[in-house]
């Protein structure tokens, strides 16, 4: 059957505005989500593609990791038909930068736990961008079009971006050069402090408000212990117009060759140290979006993050293919095996005992399987333990428990077998 995995949107801290938040999430889907500007490998429609057991195991791990993190941060489920994003959104009136910092912490936790590789989370603020454009001499009516050009800096050189601004968008060379001086800057709280003292940026109230919040954001990120991966990057623009404050994007970096899918997704033909291989998450603050579609015009402050789930799947699958490590396709804790013939009934009896005790157990569907075949099945499937029965074990009231990886074997009394299996598979 085609695989049908849940695509739940997750929101946080619900209030009487639940209905508006639900509308907001549906609207974000219609707008294409935060990942729409990135190129992705074309996929068949949901429900028409089959996944093999290895792919399904990887996908289940990714979903469990993301959902577990969301729930750890107090999320509630909203079921909507979203395809390839997992969202965490916080709606409500809160003090500045506290929920924004939590969203960045969530991204840090998910990417760290999935072990996709080295990553960076770039942050900026639309108010800082707009203030920068104003002090650099960009006309008001060109803010959005120039912003969309700056947004291409992750895949185009500054020379090409500058050329587009001047030759295609009609911006003066002087304004473009001033923008170039700012968008090359990266840092943390120190950069925000420096820009607050900058002769030009300090002239913009909008930019100063964004920079003040950026300082506050980094103070919270320090408390959350995630500043090692977060960088204040003035080149980050994100093209969607509904952002009103902080914006962020998580990218994977690597030192080795770019995976095939990443190259197809626009990451370039070869990678050097620190080169991005693609965005895997993004989001920001969008305080005005719900009010635009609310009949009463109520303003609902919102901040959120979207995980690019299909991109993550693709990377995880490629890593699994390149690694010698086997991917577990089942959650089976133990295989019940026999070392001799005519022990089918004893194997079935022990298997039933384990099932009744909540142990995930398998038994081979043959009357007299060869022990080697049973052990090989465990190797191939990633089953960590084998409970081996033989005539001597039955006589002594024990089970020979074998650890597949180390091939270590110990005799365990039948009464303590469940406890020993649970102890040995606690982390599996």
């Amino acid at each position: 059957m085609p695989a049908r995995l849940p695509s739940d949107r997750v929101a946080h801290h619900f209030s009487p505005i639940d209905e508006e938040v639900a509308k907001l999430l549906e609207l974000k889907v219609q707008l294409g989500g935060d990942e729409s500007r990135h190129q992705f490998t074309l996929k068949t429609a949901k429900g028409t593609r089959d996944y093999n057991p290895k792919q399904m195991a990887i996908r289940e791990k990714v979903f469990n990791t993301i959902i577990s993190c969301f729930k750890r941060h107090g999320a509630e489920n909203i079921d909507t038909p979203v395809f390839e994003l997992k969202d965490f959104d916080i709606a409500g009136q809160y003090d500045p930068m506290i929920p924004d910092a939590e969203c960045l912490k969530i991204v840090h936790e998910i990417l760290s736990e999935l072990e996709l590789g080295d990553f960076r989370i770039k942050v900026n603020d639309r108010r800082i961008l707009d203030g920068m454009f104003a002090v650099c001499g960009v006309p008001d009516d060109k803010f959005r079009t120039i912003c969309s050009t700056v947004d291409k800096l992750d895949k185009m050189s500054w020379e090409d971006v500058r050329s587009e601004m001047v030759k295609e968008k009609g911006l003066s060379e002087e304004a473009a050069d001033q923008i170039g001086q700012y968008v090359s800057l990266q840092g943390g709280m120190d950069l925000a402090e420096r820009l607050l003292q900058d002769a030009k940026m300090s002239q913009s109230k909008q930019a100063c408000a964004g920079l003040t919040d950026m300082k506050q954001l980094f103070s919270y990120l320090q408390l959350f212990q995630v500043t090692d991966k977060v960088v204040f990057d003035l080149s980050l623009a994100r093209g969607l117009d509904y952002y009103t404050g902080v914006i962020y994007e998580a990218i994977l970096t690597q030192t080795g060759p770019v995976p095939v899918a990443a190259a197809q997704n626009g990451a370039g033909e070869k990678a050097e140290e620190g080169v991005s291989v693609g965005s895997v998450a993004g989001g920001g603050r969008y305080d005005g979006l719900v009010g635009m579609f609310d009949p009463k015009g109520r303003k609902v402050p919102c901040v959120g993050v979207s995980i690019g789930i299909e991109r993550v799947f693709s990377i995880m699958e490629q890593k699994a293919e390149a690694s010698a490590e086997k991917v577990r396709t089942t959650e089976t804790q133990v295989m019940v095996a026999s070392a001799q013939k005519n022990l089918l009934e004893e194997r079935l009896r022990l298997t039933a005992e384990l099932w009744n005790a909540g142990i995930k157990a398998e038994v081979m569907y043959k009357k007299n399987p060869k022990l080697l075949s049973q052990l090989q099945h465990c190797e191939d499937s990633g089953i960590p333990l084998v409970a081996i029965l033989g005539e001597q074990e039955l006589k002594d009231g024990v089970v020979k428990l074998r650890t597949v990886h180390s091939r270590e074997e110990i005799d365990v009394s039948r009464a303590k077998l469940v406890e020993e299996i649970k102890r040995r598979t606690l982390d599996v």
Side-chain angles (χ1 to χ4, degrees), residues 342-409:
N342 303 318
L343 292 177
L344 174 62
E345 291 183 4
E346 294 298 337
R347 283 192 292 131
L348 295 180
R349 184 176 290 111
L350 178 56
T351 302
E353 289 177 15
L354 295 176
W355 284 339
N356 292 339
I359 297 294
K360 297 169 184 174
E362 281 187 28
V363 63
M364 194 163 278
Y365 303 137
K366 289 187 176 182
K367 287 185 177 180
N368 297 305
K370 293 180 180 179
L371 180 59
L372 185 60
S373 298
Q374 297 169 90
L375 296 178
Q376 188 61 50
H377 173 72
C378 294
E379 291 270 5
D380 295 340
S381 303
I383 299 172
L385 298 174
V386 190
I388 303 173
L389 291 172
E391 292 179 1
Q392 189 61 46
E393 283 79 16
L394 292 170
K395 192 178 298 183
D396 296 342
V398 299
V399 174
K400 193 176 295 295
L401 192 61
R402 178 185 176 103
T403 301
V404 174
H405 176 68
S406 66
R407 302 186 179 181
E408 173 196 3
E409 294 181 350

Side-chain angles (χ1 to χ4, degrees), residues 62-223:
V62 172
F63 271 109
N64 288 344
T65 298
I66 293 172
I67 293 171
S68 175
C69 179
F70 285 174
K71 289 183 177 180
R72 187 161 61 243
H73 288 266
E76 297 173 297
N77 286 331
I78 299 178
D79 188 22
T80 56
V82 293
F83 306 106
E84 63 182 27
L85 295 176
K86 279 280 178 183
D87 275 12
F88 185 97
D89 297 274
I90 301 175
Q93 192 73 49
Y94 303 103
D95 288 337
M97 297 299 105
I98 301 175
D100 310 65
E102 184 174 7
C103 285
L104 291 168
K105 170 67 170 172
I106 286 168
V107 175
H108 189 284
E109 287 181 7
I110 290 172
L111 296 184
S112 297
E113 190 170 342
L114 288 176
E115 298 180 325
L116 297 175
D118 194 22
F119 65 90
R120 279 202 321 274
I121 305 172
K122 301 191 290 186
V123 298
N124 201 359
D125 193 299
R126 288 304 285 265
R127 295 167 296 172
I128 297 173
L129 276 170
D130 287 350
M132 177 185 72
F133 292 148
V135 301
C136 289
V138 179
D140 291 352
D141 61 351
K142 289 186 182 293
F143 274 23
R144 294 285 73 84
T145 187
I146 295 301
C147 184
S148 68
T149 301
V150 169
D151 200 32
K152 299 177 182 179
L153 276 170
D154 62 341
K155 51 186 176 289
M156 288 171 55
S157 68
W158 164 247
E159 289 73 20
D160 290 338
V161 167
R162 183 186 184 279
S163 177
E164 182 176 311
M165 286 180 179
V166 174
K167 295 179 181 178
E168 297 181 25
K169 304 294 178 69
L171 188 66
S172 70
E173 291 188 1
E174 181 183 1
D177 289 338
Q178 289 185 54
I179 290 173
Q181 293 176 11
Y182 286 113
V183 296
S184 64
L185 300 176
Q186 294 183 352
M189 186 187 295
D190 58 332
L191 178 57
E193 291 172 343
R194 182 150 51 94
L195 290 173
L196 280 169
Q197 304 301 318
D198 182 83
K200 289 182 179 177
M201 293 289 274
S202 60
Q203 296 174 14
S204 168
K205 291 183 178 179
Q206 194 175 23
C208 288
L211 289 166
T212 300
D213 277 352
M214 188 64 67
K215 282 182 59 180
Q216 185 69 72
L217 176 66
F218 268 88
S219 71
Y220 294 142
L221 295 177
Q222 287 176 348
L223 296 173

